[in-house]
Structures are given as structure tokens and as C-alpha cells.
Amino acid sequence: VVGHDTGGAVALILAIEHKHLVDRLVITNSVCYDRFDDDMLDFGHPLRWKPKSVQELLQALKESFAEGLHNQEQLTDAFMEGILAPWANEEGKLSLIRNASALNSNQTMALVDRHGTIEASKTLILWGMKDPWQKADDGQQLATEIPNATFMPIHNASHWIQQDATNEFTTAILDFLLRG
């Protein structure tokens, strides 16, 4: 199981609640304690965002997402188009508002005392060290709490580690999953 950001929190829940389904676990720049990006929390305010146009929302998202890349040359049109696509219409805008308003650190903090119960044979905590939102200290701490976990920093990458350091990210995950 590989999980990034909020998907990393979901991966942790899966590894804790359904241990038999997870043999190897990879967590990358994940929400694992009480750190949610302020911009994303702001998108959860329906009175602020519902009256705005889709284009206004997309512009705000574009500015926020750009902060999550260390290597700005990786901020390609294709990356932005792909990452913004789910919210590029009214239905997507409402979905983002609903999802952002549902962010709740109580859900991730409730897992902290249970990180040590994860039974994956191996866990890789892969972290872009220049992430402005999910701090490297969180990933390092998580690696100490999960049995059989290894912390691997990617120094010249930020939150969007998959885009920022594609080769290092892919190599680290493939090595871990295939050769482990």
C-alpha cells in the first residue's frame, strides 16, 4: 500500500484496522498527526468559496499547489492540468469544499497511539524534505513509531515529491516493493 498526503492517513488507517491486507507500507509526505495545510482548510469554508467561480477556485489552487514544489521547473502545464482536473467544474468545486471542510485532525491524532500496532513486514517513510506543509519531523517521528519502518529523505523535493523528484521517488518505491 502506498499513500501520500491525506491518502497516507488512509493508508495508516488501513494498516491499523485491517492488518491482514497490508504486507508492505509506503507513506510519503503524509498527514499523520495534526498538520493540515492552511490553504486546504480554507477551501473548506463554503460561505467563502461556494459563491466564487470555478476559475477563481482553480487560480487559488494553482497558487497553493505551486508552493508544494521545490523544483519550479517541474511545475509543468501537464502537472497543473492533471492535479486541477478533478475540481475544474461546479461539481468538482463543491466536492473540494465538502472534502476540505471534512478535514479533521482528530481522525489522524486518534491513530498516534496505534502506530506501533502496524504489522506490515516493512514500512518505508519516504519524505520530500522541503515540504512547507507536512514537516520532515513528522515523517521521522512516524518512522520511530511503526515497527520495521525506515525513514528515507529526498532532500531536493517538497510536498509533491512524485513530481518534484520523479526518478528518486519511483526508484525508492520500486526498490522497496520489489527488492525490499
Side-chain angles (χ1 to χ4, degrees):
V1 173
V2 178
H4 173 78
D5 193 43
T6 306
V10 172
L12 288 169
I13 292 168
L14 181 68
I16 290 168
E17 297 291 335
H18 303 282
K19 298 173 188 335
H20 65 284
L21 296 176
V22 181
D23 178 52
R24 293 190 184 186
L25 179 63
V26 179
I27 302 293
T28 70
N29 293 73
S30 175
V31 176
C32 44
Y33 299 104
D34 62 353
R35 236 185 269 278
F36 282 103
D37 165 29
D38 288 341
D39 286 349
M40 193 52 65
L41 291 172
D42 181 62
F43 291 123
H45 294 285
L47 295 177
R48 176 168 182 197
W49 289 103
K50 194 170 180 189
K52 296 194 184 235
S53 71
V54 169
Q55 289 308 313
E56 289 172 296
L57 175 69
L58 292 177
Q59 184 57 41
L61 283 169
K62 190 174 189 176
E63 291 168 10
S64 178
F65 290 159
E67 291 177 28
L69 276 173
H70 172 69
N71 300 310
Q72 289 297 300
E73 68 275 4
Q74 296 294 85
L75 188 60
T76 63
D77 290 341
F79 171 73
M80 271 301 173
E81 183 179 314
I83 204 161
L84 294 174
W87 304 297
N89 57 45
E90 279 298 320
E91 182 179 350
K93 180 180 88 170
L94 292 175
S95 176
L96 176 66
I97 292 168
R98 280 192 298 269
N99 290 331
S101 69
L103 294 174
N104 182 339
S105 64
N106 290 334
Q107 295 165 335
T108 50
M109 291 303 293
L111 300 175
V112 172
D113 292 339
R114 298 169 63 200
H115 288 160
T117 69
I118 292 174
E119 296 177 1
S121 64
K122 291 187 176 185
T123 298
L124 175 63
I125 311 296
L126 184 61
W127 219 267
M129 298 299 284
K130 299 192 180 292
D131 190 332
W133 305 311
Q134 306 306 325
K135 303 300 183 194
D137 290 348
D138 289 354
Q140 292 166 333
Q141 178 65 33
L142 185 64
T144 68
E145 295 171 356
I146 298 174
N148 305 312
T150 302
F151 180 81
M152 178 183 288
I154 305 277
H155 292 284
N156 290 316
S158 188
H159 185 75
W160 302 112
I161 185 173
Q162 312 89 323
Q163 181 73 8
D164 239 347
T166 304
N167 291 337
E168 296 95 327
F169 177 83
T170 304
T171 299
I173 291 178
L174 288 176
D175 283 350
F176 175 75
L177 294 175
L178 298 176
R179 296 172 193 81

